[in-house]
């Protein structure tokens, strides 16, 4: 089969971006390529999940008290490994690790970035062959180089992200990442084993027809959230409704679809979990960054996600995210001034 050499690979694209900035050190490009490599390794295991004895719980619970699947552990080790052995990352925070890790070796102590990630998102879906993902957020360290990174380097507001992205292990495997310059999507081409630029300059449509929420929790949501969901289900001369409800239960897949097609995704607080379920640092913030760069919005119901000043690596936040027009409409129901 002929390979189309006009398609740029992830490596070619990141190098090209670097060439456009003569002062760039290439550290971010390196870091993104390291993440791409780990993603390819995880992808191989995800593809084999139904075949090999990797299914099932690893007889552990993570610090959130949730079951850890073996692939979560594998993915965590792959992403941590490439970042530790690379030259761009001084330390990491992960859903699967209690505290942040400062790599603390001479090269890492002089590296510019810290990375926070959810190594495998939607892992409850592994056993049933439904798309899962990885989410990552990249920050520039705030403490001086030359020493191990500290808590201060990790607990930065989302607005300070330098880059953020996700991998979706789906009907094809894709890596999508954002910098302030734009959002670009790369599809893994199995014939050459490379991510190839397939979705340049992704923009989130201002309006869509999809709303994504766990309806089972409906009676645990606050009344204004219920009122908005109710609105999504009605035909209304303004909204052209009813909207279509889609909820996979892997936020990576739900948000990837909504980013491309337009839509709104909600994980509100509930009566039993008023702070919601999703983790600010490696679920809400990276997606808020990606969606904002693509033209959309993200809030916790009252304030912009990216403005939240974090107090803990694993803190949770309600999340409302998606197309700008739909977010504005929802704000009307929540009693917020539309943007
Ligand atoms: P994780 O597998 O990393 O714990 O994340 C699962 C998350 C998210 O991906 C998804 O949108 C949400 O949990 C689904 O939660 P509910 O089953 O409560 O709707
Ligand atoms: Mn997750
Ligand atoms: Mn996870």
């Amino acid at each position: 089969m002929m390979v189309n050499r006009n398609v740029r690979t992830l490596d070619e694209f990141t190098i090209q971006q670097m060439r456009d900035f003569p002062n760039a050190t290439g550290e971010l490009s390196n870091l993104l390529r390291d993440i791409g490599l780990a993603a390819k390794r995880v992808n191989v295991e995800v593809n084999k999940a139904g075949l090999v004895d990797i299914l099932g719980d690893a007889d552990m619970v993570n610090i959130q008290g949730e079951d850890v699947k073996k692939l979560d552990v594998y993915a965590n080790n792959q992403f941590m490994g490439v970042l530790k052995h690379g030259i761009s990352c001084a330390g990491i925070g992960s859903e699967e690790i209690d505290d942040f890790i400062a790599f603390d070796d001479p090269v890492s102590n002089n590296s510019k970035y810290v990375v926070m990630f959810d190594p495998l998102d939607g892992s409850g879906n592994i056993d049933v062959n439904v798309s899962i993902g990885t989410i990552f957020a990249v920050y520039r360290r705030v403490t001086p180089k030359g020493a191990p990174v500290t808590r201060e380097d990790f607990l930065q507001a989302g607005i300070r992200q330098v880059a953020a992205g996700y991998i979706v292990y789906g009907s094809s495997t894709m890596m999508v990442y954002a910098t302030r310059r734009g959002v670009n999507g790369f599809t893994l081409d199995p014939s050459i084993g490379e991510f190839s630029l397939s979705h340049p300059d992704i923009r989130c449509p201002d309006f869509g027809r999809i709303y994504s929420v766990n309806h089972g929790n409906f009676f645990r949501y606050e009344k204004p959230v219920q009122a908005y969901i109710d609105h999504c289900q009605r035909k209304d001369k303004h909204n052209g409704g009813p909207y279509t409800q889609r909820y996979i239960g892997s936020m990576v897949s739900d948000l990837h679809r909504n980013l491309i097609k337009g839509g709104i995704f909600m994980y509100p607080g509930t009566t039993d979990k008023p702070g919601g379920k999703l983790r600010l640092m490696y679920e809400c913030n990276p997606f808020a960054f990606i969606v904002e760069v693509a033209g959309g919005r993200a809030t916790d119901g009252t304030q912009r996600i990216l403005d939240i000043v974090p107090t803990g690596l694993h803190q949770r936040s309600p999340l409302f995210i998606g197309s700008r027009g739909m977010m504005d409409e929802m704000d009307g129901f929540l009693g917020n001034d539309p943007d």
Side-chain angles (χ1 to χ4, degrees):
M1 191 177 77
M2 287 285 286
V3 172
N4 178 357
R5 292 307 306 157
N6 294 320
V7 177
R8 268 177 298 167
T9 67
L10 175 68
D11 292 7
E12 288 171 324
F13 183 84
T14 56
I15 289 166
Q16 181 64 50
Q17 297 278 303
M18 196 180 90
R19 286 171 64 110
D20 292 347
F21 277 97
N23 295 332
T25 60
E27 275 189 74
L28 184 62
S29 305
N30 265 315
L31 189 123
L32 291 164
R33 295 203 303 275
D34 288 345
I35 289 174
L37 173 62
K40 285 192 262 186
R41 289 178 174 154
V42 171
N43 181 59
V44 170
E45 295 307 311
V46 167
N47 282 175
K48 289 193 302 200
L51 291 174
V52 294
D53 183 29
I54 201 164
L55 280 174
D57 300 349
D59 294 330
M60 288 159 62
V61 285
N62 68 12
I63 52 147
Q64 331 282 338
E66 293 152 353
D67 288 344
V68 179
K69 305 286 180 181
K70 283 180 183 169
L71 269 177
D72 292 68
V73 178
Y74 179 82
N76 184 62
N77 292 342
Q78 288 304 325
F79 283 97
M80 189 166 68
V82 290
L83 293 170
K84 182 173 168 55
H85 296 117
I87 56 167
S88 309
C89 183
I92 54 124
S94 162
E95 181 189 10
E96 302 303 336
I97 303 171
D98 203 347
D99 206 352
F100 71 89
I101 293 180
F103 290 146
D104 195 9
D105 62 69
V107 174
S108 301
N109 286 345
N110 281 299
S111 298
K112 209 194 275 185
Y113 298 111
V114 296
V115 179
M116 273 168 278
F117 54 85
D118 178 352
L120 218 52
D121 174 72
S123 46
N125 279 327
I126 297 170
D127 310 24
V128 288
N129 205 0
V130 170
S131 299
I132 51 180
T134 297
I135 313 168
F136 62 91
V138 182
Y139 292 79
R140 195 170 285 120
R141 65 184 295 173
V142 290
T143 57
K145 284 183 178 178
V149 279
T150 70
R151 185 163 306 277
E152 210 188 326
D153 295 305
F154 291 90
L155 295 186
Q156 301 189 52
I159 190 68
R160 302 183 67 128
Q161 285 168 101
V162 172
Y166 60 86
I167 296 103
V168 55
Y169 310 98
S171 42
S172 38
T173 294
M174 275 191 77
M175 176 164 161
V176 174
Y177 80 86
T179 63
R180 282 178 203 285
R181 300 169 69 189
V183 185
N184 290 283
F186 303 80
T187 301
L188 185 60
D189 177 349
S191 66
I192 55 170
E194 295 284 355
F195 284 105
S196 299
L197 181 64
S198 53
H199 295 62
D201 196 21
I202 295 172
R203 304 295 300 165
C204 182
D206 280 346
F207 287 93
R209 301 200 41 77
I210 295 170
Y211 74 104
S212 309
V213 70
N214 185 338
H215 259 282
N217 290 332
F218 183 85
F219 294 107
R220 297 177 175 179
Y221 298 141
E222 290 179 345
K223 288 279 181 276
V225 174
Q226 293 181 354
Y228 177 63
I229 294 172
D230 189 68
H231 167 78
C232 292
Q233 295 175 295
R234 286 177 196 284
K235 182 145 185 72
D236 178 297
K237 66 177 185 314
H238 301 298
N239 74 1
Y243 295 155
T244 294
Q245 203 274 353
R246 292 282 182 266
Y247 190 73
I248 294 170
S250 298
M251 73 180 295
V252 169
S253 314
D254 277 313
L255 283 169
H256 176 66
R257 180 201 54 235
N258 290 8
L259 178 67
I260 306 280
K261 292 193 170 184
I264 190 165
F265 173 96
M266 299 170 268
Y267 204 108
T270 52
T271 41
D272 53 335
K273 290 182 188 157
K277 174 184 183 186
L278 301 176
R279 277 56 64 100
L280 177 66
M281 303 307 284
Y282 40 82
E283 293 184 318
C284 304
N285 267 336
F287 269 112
F289 183 84
I290 296 162
V291 167
E292 281 205 10
V293 172
R297 288 178 54 215
T299 75
D300 68 355
T302 51
Q303 68 168 323
R304 185 184 179 202
I305 290 286
L306 295 181
D307 288 338
I308 298 173
V309 178
T311 53
L313 205 55
H314 300 288
Q315 82 186 67
R316 297 173 194 263
S317 171
L319 179 64
F320 300 84
I321 185 167
S323 293
R324 180 165 288 273
M326 296 177 85
M327 288 291 292
D328 290 350
E329 180 185 62
M330 185 205 63
D331 269 336
F333 284 84
L334 300 196
N336 303 321
D337 288 336
D339 197 34

